[in-house]
Amino acid sequence: MKAIAWAVLVVGLACTAMFVATGLSADRELAWVNGWMAGPMILLFVAPMMFSLAGKLGGGFAALRGGVPKEFLGAPIAMGTVVAVSRTGLSVNDQPQLEIQLDVDTPDGRSFRSAARQIVDLTELGAVRPGAILPVRYLPDGRVALATDASQQELQASLDRVQLAKGHVTPKQLHIAEQGADAQAVVLAMAPTGQVRNGRSVVHLTLRITRLDGTMFDLVQEKAIPPTAIPQLQPGSAVRVKYLPHDESEVAILTTLVP
């Protein structure tokens, strides 16, 4: 865009020079009114507009790619729990920009408070609420941006590592999540134990899992469930799981990040 702006400026200067030369060399009353008048118009209006637009696209708007500012591209992914949400007063096409306060947990076990600003579609406002878990890309100085460019595989891998670092899953459960076979399961029963572990309700889950060959087996597991996942695990719900074909004593349950 800057190259185009400079090209426009050069054209404007050339046309202006011809405009002045033509006007000075003629003796007619309207000598200055000629086709080269486009030169001054380009210098006064078009070129400044082009440079302004180039500045916005190159820096002022952080050269957004896939919804993530350029400086965050390739940055590691962490999980942010929404603490508070407020509107900044800015909107784009009637979609509000939100300032989202987050408690960020990284795969290496660090935690910190940060904030991200994001344009959010009106239909998605319900997903950005206190308690929701949002994936973010983070920089060493603690700044974050929502990881809207990340693939589902990247998000799941980061979530698994964060869960391990916080003690929500065991190394065996992480191994199942990363190496296990995909399968479908139906929740037959969910019974609360009355225990709370790290802010999560501990429940007994009875699952009926369909193997890769179409046969089924039942499994009862004790799980510490985050509040956002409880609606997905009601009796009768179908869920994705992973299991090891040679060891069916435990499964990893895959729930969405933002239900």
Side-chain angles (χ1 to χ4, degrees), residues 94-211:
D94 295 326
Q95 310 302 320
Q97 183 189 59
L98 302 182
E99 177 158 309
I100 308 167
Q101 298 289 330
L102 299 155
D103 280 337
V104 180
D105 295 304
T106 68
D108 60 5
R110 294 186 295 120
S111 299
F112 58 92
R113 175 70 60 87
S114 190
R117 290 193 171 189
Q118 183 77 17
I119 301 294
V120 178
D121 190 283
L122 290 172
T123 61
E124 300 295 331
L125 289 178
V128 185
R129 65 185 186 280
I133 298 175
L134 302 178
V136 299
R137 292 194 182 274
Y138 65 98
L139 300 178
D141 60 8
R143 289 183 295 149
V144 301
L146 297 191
T148 54
D149 64 324
S151 67
Q152 186 60 42
Q153 290 76 13
E154 288 180 288
L155 299 181
Q156 190 64 56
S158 178
L159 177 61
D160 291 339
R161 293 293 172 180
V162 169
Q163 300 297 331
L164 178 64
K166 293 178 70 66
H168 294 323
V169 299
T170 65
K172 179 182 179 181
Q173 291 168 337
L174 179 59
H175 175 69
I176 296 172
E178 292 182 339
Q179 304 297 328
D182 284 298
Q184 287 291 119
V186 175
V187 180
L188 300 181
M190 182 177 68
T193 65
Q195 301 177 49
V196 176
R197 188 183 304 158
N198 295 326
R200 297 178 169 214
S201 302
V202 180
V203 301
H204 284 300
L205 279 177
T206 303
L207 302 170
R208 178 159 293 167
I209 298 110
T210 302
R211 298 184 181 92

Side-chain angles (χ1 to χ4, degrees), residues 224-235:
I225 305 298
T228 55
I230 289 178
Q232 303 174 61
L233 297 173
Q234 296 300 310

